[in-house]
């Protein structure tokens, strides 16, 4: 009889634990988009979104939000098999089922001429169903692409030894509408190393417009961003203590409340907002040497 050494026994036990976990990591049904998951639709426009469903069968949760069902009509396209769920017949937050097989689902979307808001259609795992499915999200409507750019001037030293400088928050909008109710800020993971003041000439205004945070956050309300253009405003940073080294803290666009300035409709961002860093440094040498990946001070 072959005797296993202790190391071999430990390895066998580890493999017995890992194997089921790896087996469970493969969804029962995989949804794969066959086109861009963003459909730019103006009021009155019509579009198609398609995806492949492949697997042994699984329940999914369908959630449609932002725009009401009266603003968009979603119908199964003529080439979709009967395996594809009928989205028109269901409430827009419900459990649906993808049967076993390998098939392509196509849906036509008609945006009503009076529609004001963007629409999100999301398929995700249905908890406690005993089956698994990957997440797949589509966005339809204006869906603006937005970019936040920070332009910082070198800081100066105040008489009390603290540093102070201005940072311009510049937002670019690639859509055909004026975007309103954009904010920029971040949740507080630790104390801010500097005060953020937008109540200055050309400033962004009050710093109470933070994101939805577990505890606290900071943020500013940004000016309207014109179609295919930019807008900007200033914040003044003042270090909380005597300046010794470059300081930084994260900031990003907050788009949960973003609207179309013309009609107040809800807009959805094309992509999640990346994180940038507000920086307070004495000269360009410090600024260029600052490593964004370094721990924050």
């Amino acid at each position: 009889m072959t005797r296993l050494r202790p190391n071999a026994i430990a390895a066998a036990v580890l493999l017995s634990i890992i194997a089921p976990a790896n087996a469970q990591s493969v969804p029962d049904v995989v949804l794969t988009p066959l086109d861009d998951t963003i459909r730019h639709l103006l009021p009155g426009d019509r579009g198609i979104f398609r995806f492949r469903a492949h697997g042994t069968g699984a329940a999914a949760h369908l959630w449609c939000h932002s725009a009401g069902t009266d603003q968009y009509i979603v119908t199964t396209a003529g080439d979709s098999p009967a395996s594809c769920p009928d989205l028109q017949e269901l409430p827009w937050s419900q459990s649906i089922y993808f049967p076993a097989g390998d098939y392509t689902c196509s849906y036509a979307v008609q945006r009503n001429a009076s529609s004001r808001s963007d629409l999100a259609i999301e398929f995700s795992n249905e908890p406690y169903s005993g089956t698994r499915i990957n997440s797949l999200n589509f966005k339809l409507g204006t869906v603006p692409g937005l970019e936040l750019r920070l332009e910082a001037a070198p800081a100066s030293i105040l008489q009390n030894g603290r540093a102070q400088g201005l940072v311009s928050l510049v937002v670019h909008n690639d859509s055909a509408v004026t975007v309103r109710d954009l904010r920029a800020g971040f949740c507080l993971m630790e104390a801010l190393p500097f005060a953020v003041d937008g109540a200055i000439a050309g400033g962004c205004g009050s710093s109470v417009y933070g994101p939805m945070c577990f505890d606290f956050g900071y943020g500013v309300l940004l000016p309207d961003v014109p179609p295919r253009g930019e807008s900007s405003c200033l914040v003044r940073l003042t270090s909380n203590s005597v300046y010794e080294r470059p300081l930084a803290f994260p900031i990003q666009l907050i788009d949960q409340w973003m609207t179309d300035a013309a009609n107040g409709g809800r807009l959805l961002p094309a992509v999640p907002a990346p994180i940038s860093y507000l920086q307070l440094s004495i000269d360009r040498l410090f600024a260029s040497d600052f490593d964004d990946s370094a721990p924050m001070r």
Side-chain angles (χ1 to χ4, degrees):
M1 182 177 71
T2 303
R3 294 182 178 271
L4 293 177
R5 292 177 295 176
N7 287 347
I9 295 174
V13 171
L14 181 61
L15 286 174
S16 69
I17 296 173
I18 293 176
N22 286 341
Q24 293 176 4
S25 67
V26 179
D28 297 281
V29 168
V30 176
L31 304 180
T32 306
L34 299 178
D35 307 290
D36 193 339
T37 56
I38 294 174
R39 284 285 173 268
H40 295 289
L41 301 177
L42 296 175
D45 283 353
R46 180 180 174 87
I48 297 285
F49 68 89
R50 303 180 306 142
F51 57 88
R52 176 191 177 197
H54 176 250
T56 57
H61 184 76
L62 167 70
W63 185 38
C64 301
H65 60 92
S66 294
T69 57
D70 58 332
Q71 297 188 47
Y72 292 80
I73 299 174
V74 181
T75 56
T76 304
D79 56 348
S80 281
S83 308
C84 298
D86 187 347
L87 305 187
Q88 186 180 24
E89 298 297 326
L90 296 173
W92 283 24
S93 180
Q94 175 135 341
S95 177
I96 58 177
Y97 191 78
F98 288 94
D102 187 348
Y103 44 93
T104 296
C105 296
S106 299
Y107 296 95
V109 181
Q110 177 66 53
R111 182 175 183 182
N112 293 343
S114 60
S115 169
R116 300 186 306 159
S117 299
D118 293 346
L119 174 67
I121 299 177
E122 302 181 1
F123 302 92
S124 60
N125 193 53
E126 183 69 25
Y128 313 115
S129 67
T131 57
R132 297 178 64 253
I133 198 167
N134 62 296
S135 296
L136 179 59
N137 305 329
F138 292 92
K139 295 179 180 180
L140 308 107
T142 301
V143 196
L146 302 167
E147 178 186 359
L148 173 65
R149 187 173 74 252
L150 304 182
E151 298 176 353
S156 58
I157 296 294
L158 303 177
Q159 289 185 346
N160 58 11
R162 299 185 181 188
Q164 187 174 86
L166 295 176
V167 179
S168 179
L169 278 56
V170 184
V171 182
H172 179 78
N173 166 26
D174 74 355
S175 76
V177 305
T178 297
V179 175
R180 177 169 292 172
D181 298 318
L182 266 179
R183 309 176 184 193
F186 210 75
C187 293
L188 296 181
M189 302 173 295
E190 57 181 273
L192 277 165
F194 37 63
V196 180
D197 183 10
I200 58 177
C204 301
S206 172
S207 59
V208 300
Y209 294 96
M212 298 173 63
C213 300
F214 178 76
D215 42 21
F216 300 102
Y218 78 98
V220 294
L221 184 64
L222 302 174
D224 292 359
V225 192
R228 310 198 190 285
E230 294 183 342
S231 67
S232 65
C233 60
L234 295 170
V235 292
R236 181 169 58 203
L237 308 182
T238 306
S239 63
N240 294 330
S241 57
V242 173
Y243 181 84
E244 296 178 343
R245 56 185 174 273
L247 304 171
F249 201 85
I251 188 172
Q252 66 184 151
L253 285 177
I254 304 167
D255 46 41
Q256 291 98 322
W257 301 279
M258 180 172 60
T259 61
D260 182 337
N263 57 31
R266 170 81 185 278
L267 300 176
L268 297 172
V271 296
I275 296 175
S276 301
Y277 285 83
L278 287 174
Q279 297 187 26
L280 185 61
S281 58
I282 295 301
D283 55 34
R284 291 298 182 185
L285 178 61
F286 275 130
S288 62
D289 286 347
F290 183 80
D291 180 7
D292 284 352
S293 64
M296 288 173 291
R297 304 293 184 185

